[in-house]
């Protein structure tokens, strides 16, 4: 009986380890996170920022496809390097910040690269609500451990998202004679396990 018990223990130690923990809650790092956007104004690129005001993040390092994100941004605090462009951006014909002060992104799908690893590239699909209009958008996604951390240390991560939207899809049609319709969106966020 003792020998059988030892054999079972040895076999168990060789079996693949699985976790029942599932997605782990993460919070934004102390510096928070900011959405950076770039648009063309009269043929010249203009860059601006919108601070992320709230984030509900869950990451499952063992099954990244099960990870989820709900992120809200305060469009009343949107900024560009040009005062007149900032005011135009928040006006009723573009972001309409007075009526719709919050933009929200809710993830719907994480798709990993061909080998099932995020290092092969990944995309994050989700519903973006802007000006009260919701449309599906897709971001190229990256998730990185802190430099120098152990391979199993997921306590601090960096999330990088890049995508493009057409502002007309959300009814943000103002200043069409000056501003291109495509807007590039880049998000970099430091996040920490909340446990």
């Amino acid at each position: 009986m003792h020998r059988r018990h030892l054999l079972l223990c040895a076999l168990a130690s060789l079996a693949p380890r699985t976790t029942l923990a599932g997605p782990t809650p993460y919070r934004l790092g102390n510096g928070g996170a900011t959405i950076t956007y770039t648009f063309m104004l009269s043929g010249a690129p203009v860059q601006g920022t919108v601070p992320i005001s709230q984030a509900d993040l869950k990451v499952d390092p063992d099954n990244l496809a099960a990870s989820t994100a709900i992120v809200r941004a305060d469009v009343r605090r949107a900024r560009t390097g040009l005062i007149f462009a900032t005011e135009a951006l928040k006006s009723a014909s573009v972001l309409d910040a007075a009526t719709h002060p919050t933009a929200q992104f809710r993830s719907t799908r994480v798709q990993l690269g061909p080998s099932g690893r995020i290092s092969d590239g990944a995309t994050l699909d989700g519903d973006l609500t802007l000006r009260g209009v919701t449309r599906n958008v897709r971001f190229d996604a990256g998730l990185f451990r802190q430099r120098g951390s152990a391979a199993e240390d997921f306590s601090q991560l960096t999330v990088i998202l890049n995508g493009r939207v057409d502002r007309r899809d959300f009814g943000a049609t103002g200043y069409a004679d000056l501003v291109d319709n495509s807007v590039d969106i880049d998000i970099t966020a430091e996040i920490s396990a909340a446990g």
Side-chain angles (χ1 to χ4, degrees):
M1 183 65 90
H2 179 67
R3 187 173 175 184
R4 181 177 176 208
H5 178 71
L6 287 175
L7 179 60
L8 288 174
C9 287
L11 289 173
S13 69
L14 294 174
R17 287 189 296 164
T18 59
T19 178
L20 301 177
T24 299
Y26 278 73
R27 62 177 177 271
L28 293 176
N30 292 334
T34 299
I35 300 165
T36 301
Y37 56 89
T38 305
F39 60 92
M40 298 299 287
L41 174 64
S42 298
V46 175
Q47 195 170 81
T49 59
V50 181
I52 292 176
S53 55
Q54 184 180 5
D56 179 7
L57 310 169
K58 293 183 176 64
V59 178
D60 187 343
D62 294 322
N63 179 17
L64 286 170
S67 302
T68 61
I70 302 172
V71 178
R72 295 178 184 88
D74 185 351
V75 297
R76 295 169 300 185
R77 295 174 58 202
R79 299 286 182 268
T80 71
L82 306 169
I83 293 175
F84 74 89
T86 296
E87 294 310 311
L89 180 72
K90 293 188 284 186
S91 70
S93 65
V94 186
L95 290 178
D96 195 10
T99 307
H100 302 285
T102 303
Q104 176 178 282
F105 174 80
R106 179 186 294 268
S107 67
T108 56
R109 182 182 182 207
V110 178
Q111 185 170 1
L112 301 178
S115 69
R117 298 176 56 85
I118 200 167
S119 58
D120 292 336
T123 56
L124 177 64
D125 290 351
D127 294 326
L128 175 62
T129 302
L130 188 63
R131 291 176 48 94
V133 177
T134 301
R135 295 284 184 266
N136 186 260
V137 298
R138 173 171 287 176
F139 291 100
D140 293 326
L143 184 66
F144 305 93
R145 290 191 312 272
Q146 190 174 31
R147 181 171 293 180
S149 64
E152 65 278 1
D153 181 3
F154 299 100
S155 60
Q156 295 186 357
L157 301 170
T158 300
V159 180
I160 297 177
L161 303 174
N162 310 107
R164 176 175 287 176
V165 299
D166 187 323
R167 66 192 184 102
R168 294 172 297 185
D169 293 342
F170 301 91
T173 56
Y175 306 96
D177 55 332
L178 299 173
V179 180
D180 283 1
N181 295 312
S182 293
V183 180
D184 291 328
I185 299 174
D186 300 291
I187 303 170
T188 301
E190 305 289 333
I191 63 174
S192 302

